[in-house]
Amino acid sequence: MPLIIRVKVQTRSSQEKIEETGIDEYKIWVTVPPADNQANDALIEILADYFNTAPANIKIRSGYKSSHKLVEIE
């Protein structure tokens, strides 16, 4: 059964990091801008590393163009 989490993404940060802010809620800082899907790609890479899974197992279910996202992790 997949894990569904809520994510708040902060772009153009000085460093990449992840913080659990609640039950299945995370704030993630990425260094790239939101243009050309760079922030979404960085988000997937950070989550894959954090949850020790392949990036292919992570999908943005909603909020693709928003800073607030719903993410599915297989």
Side-chain angles (χ1 to χ4, degrees):
M1 177 178 279
L3 173 65
I4 305 295
I5 62 171
R6 293 179 190 271
V7 173
K8 165 73 167 90
V9 179
Q10 177 67 49
T11 59
R12 295 187 176 110
S13 173
S14 61
Q15 63 182 351
E16 291 185 340
K17 66 179 184 173
I18 185 168
E19 176 182 303
E20 192 169 353
T21 58
I23 298 172
D24 296 332
E25 292 183 357
Y26 296 84
K27 182 166 184 184
I28 299 175
W29 291 264
V30 297
T31 57
V32 295
D36 299 323
N37 295 322
Q38 293 178 59
N40 287 334
D41 293 342
L43 167 68
I44 289 171
E45 290 294 328
I46 290 169
L47 286 172
D49 189 47
Y50 185 80
F51 286 101
N52 196 28
T53 189
N57 293 334
I58 299 174
K59 295 173 185 58
I60 298 172
R61 295 196 47 185
S62 67
Y64 198 75
K65 293 187 176 189
S66 171
S67 63
H68 295 274
K69 303 178 187 302
L70 201 60
V71 178
E72 177 181 317
I73 303 168
E74 290 289 332

